[in-house]
């Protein structure tokens, strides 16, 4: 039997699955870990136009989020680790055994690819860097500057990364090194066995169990999905592997037709059998207005977000300025279960202001006094979180 999901229900399910329908209230350290486990991962990005992506993502789900709790979970408790999904992300360490398969897959591809960047000496440098970290402990890429100045750099052509950085990243991607912390935003590397607690490292899972976990856990966090969306969630398995998993698990699954925001043809997807009752019990998103990070997991899959919310969103950081439609780093605005607009703003920490450059509301969304008041209150909350004192609306911020 096929489950039919209206667009409103599909949005409600996905928002709840992504942690955006939770009540507010004090978020403890344990509660933060549980939140990240529920969402799956939190993307890390270096841009801090207002606040770094991982902090903003968590703040949007609970304004009582404390950065110190995240640092403690990463650097003291070892309950979280930093690695790769579709991009760099903070991931629960309980999932570390499955990442061993990512390490193995990376080892099979990265050495050959990165060797091609360097004419010779790649293996020598890989060994040298690992031995230095083994003997000296926590190191950053800049700690190898003395090696380069001392002429220890092997002869040959090098890509944009200097060879030590390439070697550090290779060992991180393939599991020998882990991120022990960050200084500023620079990675601090150490041996994985000195960063990830032993009880997380000890478990081994078979290839079959790995694929099953990658697909099962992705679908749990998506609620409903195509095989491509399942594969893309963690970026641990290929679409072909996800498709094979669906075929092998038909008895656990049921077909779903998901109505898109534009009223067009429903999208054929999959959910776990018996999902109707589970979906019905999920809460509606709170009506309040929230500004999201451009890297919020709700919008990471741009095509899915556009189908569900009718919201076309792209990050234009790498688009040449004259070709940008909106701006360098524009924030999406969520109101209840709808994407209602986007805003271009920047924290000026020296002046203590959150400078609003431009607001764009979606075509069917009115700039009512109540909505603008709600936006002003949200910007005040976000500004305090980012460490600035007041919001400044620059000339032309409403367009026209």
């Amino acid at each position: 039997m096929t489950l039919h999901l209206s667009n409103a229900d599909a949005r409600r399910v996905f928002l709840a699955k992504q942690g955006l329908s939770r009540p507010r209230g004090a978020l403890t350290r344990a509660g933060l870990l549980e939140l990240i486990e529920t969402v799956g991962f939190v993307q890390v990005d270096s841009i801090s136009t207002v606040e770094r992506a991982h902090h903003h993502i968590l703040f949007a789900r609970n304004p009582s989020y404390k950065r110190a709790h995240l640092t403690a979970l990463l650097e003291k408790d070892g309950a979280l680790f930093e690695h790769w999904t579709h991009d760099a992300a903070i991931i629960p360490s309980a999932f570390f055994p499955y990442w061993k398969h990512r390490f193995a897959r990376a080892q099979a591809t990265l050495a050959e690819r990165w060797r091609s960047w360097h004419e010779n000496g790649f293996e020598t440098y890989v060994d040298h860097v690992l031995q230095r970290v083994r003997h000296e402990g926590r190191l950053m890429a800049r700690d190898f500057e003395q090696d380069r100045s001392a002429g220890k750099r092997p002869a040959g052509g090098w890509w944009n990364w200097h060879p030590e950085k390439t070697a550090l990243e290779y060992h991180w991607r393939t599991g020998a090194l882990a991120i022990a912390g960050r200084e500023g935003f620079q990675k601090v590397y150490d041996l994985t066995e000195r960063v990830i607690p032993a009880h997380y490292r000890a478990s081994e899972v078979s290839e079959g169990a790995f694929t099953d976990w990658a697909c099962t856990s992705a679908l749990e966090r998506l609620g409903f999905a195509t095989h491509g969306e399942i594969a893309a969630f963690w970026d641990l398995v290929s679409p072909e592997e996800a498709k094979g998993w669906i075929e092998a698990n038909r008895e656990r699954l049921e077909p779903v037709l998901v109505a898109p925001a534009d009223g067009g043809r429903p999208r054929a997807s999959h959910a776990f059998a018996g999902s109707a009752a589970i979906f019905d019990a999920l809460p509606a998103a709170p009506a309040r207005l929230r500004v999201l990070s451009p890297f919020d997991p709700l919008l990471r899959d741009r095509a899915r977000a556009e189908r569900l919310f009718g919201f076309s969103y792209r990050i234009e950081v790498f688009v040449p300025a004259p070709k940008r439609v909106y701006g360098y780093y524009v924030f999406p605005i969520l109101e209840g279960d709808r994407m209602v607009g986007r805003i271009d703003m920047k924290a000026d920490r020296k002046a203590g202001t959150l400078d609003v450059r431009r607001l764009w509301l979606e075509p069917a969304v009115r700039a009512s006094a109540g909505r603008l008041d709600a936006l002003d209150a949200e910007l005040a909350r976000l500004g305090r979180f980012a460490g600035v004192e007041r919001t400044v609306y620059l000339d032309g911020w409403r367009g026209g």
Side-chain angles (χ1 to χ4, degrees), residues 46-327:
S46 61
I47 299 172
S48 58
T49 300
V50 173
E51 183 52 87
R52 297 202 191 277
H54 47 295
H55 295 311
H56 190 166
I57 289 166
L58 295 167
F59 174 82
R61 283 153 177 80
N62 192 315
S64 71
Y65 158 70
K66 294 180 174 58
R67 297 173 186 82
H69 286 165
L70 186 69
T71 300
L73 289 167
L74 278 163
E75 299 181 20
K76 181 180 179 182
D77 303 346
L80 299 170
F81 74 107
E82 188 177 329
H83 210 267
W84 213 254
T85 55
H86 64 287
D87 211 321
I90 294 166
I91 304 160
S93 295
F95 304 163
F96 185 82
Y98 303 101
W99 254 255
K100 293 180 183 180
H101 290 264
R102 176 183 280 278
F103 302 155
R105 293 182 180 200
Q107 201 159 22
T109 59
L110 285 183
E112 191 59 39
R113 184 192 310 168
W114 290 2
R115 187 182 291 111
S116 70
W117 297 352
H118 311 307
E119 293 177 5
N120 59 66
F122 180 70
E123 286 81 3
T124 299
Y125 239 92
V126 164
D127 291 343
H128 167 68
V129 164
L130 185 60
Q131 289 308 313
R132 270 203 63 184
V133 175
R134 186 181 304 281
H135 293 299
E136 297 178 39
R138 300 159 55 106
L139 292 173
M140 294 183 288
R142 70 187 186 204
D143 293 319
F144 290 85
E145 291 176 1
Q146 186 175 355
D147 284 3
R148 294 198 299 281
S149 63
K152 294 181 182 179
R153 171 173 167 170
W158 302 98
W159 192 67
N160 290 338
W161 281 349
H162 60 66
E164 302 90 346
K165 172 66 173 175
T166 305
L168 287 166
E169 287 288 308
Y170 172 77
H171 285 305
W172 176 51
R173 299 284 188 94
T174 57
L177 298 181
I179 306 303
R182 285 181 180 263
E183 291 188 13
F185 203 68
Q186 299 300 306
K187 293 176 187 148
V188 180
Y189 302 85
D190 203 349
L191 295 180
T192 295
E193 58 262 35
R194 296 199 288 244
V195 176
I196 308 296
H199 59 281
Y200 295 124
R201 290 185 283 108
S203 298
E204 301 289 341
V205 295
S206 67
E207 186 72 24
F210 159 72
T211 301
D212 181 63
W213 179 86
C215 296
T216 297
S217 59
L219 186 54
E220 287 171 346
R221 287 163 177 80
L222 292 167
F224 51 86
T226 66
H227 72 274
E229 290 168 345
I230 290 171
F233 182 82
W234 298 112
D235 195 25
L236 287 171
V237 297
S238 69
E240 292 73 24
E241 288 173 304
K243 192 172 186 178
W245 176 83
I246 289 170
E247 290 299 323
N249 288 273
R250 288 289 180 185
E251 75 285 352
R252 295 173 57 194
L253 306 174
E254 63 183 0
V256 185
L257 288 176
V258 183
D262 65 5
R265 184 178 179 179
R267 177 83 164 182
S269 298
H270 306 276
F272 289 110
S275 286
I278 296 170
F279 291 171
D280 285 346
L282 292 173
R288 70 180 186 270
L289 184 148
R290 285 173 280 183
V291 175
L292 302 182
S293 164
F295 294 102
D296 196 285
L298 187 76
L299 303 172
R300 187 202 65 77
D301 186 330
R302 306 298 188 208
R304 179 181 170 100
E306 190 162 354
R307 283 196 307 275
L308 291 180
F309 297 97
F311 187 67
S312 178
Y313 181 73
R314 302 291 183 273
I315 296 175
E316 297 182 289
V317 168
F318 300 111
V319 177
K323 295 184 178 181
R324 290 176 188 148
V325 178
Y326 296 105

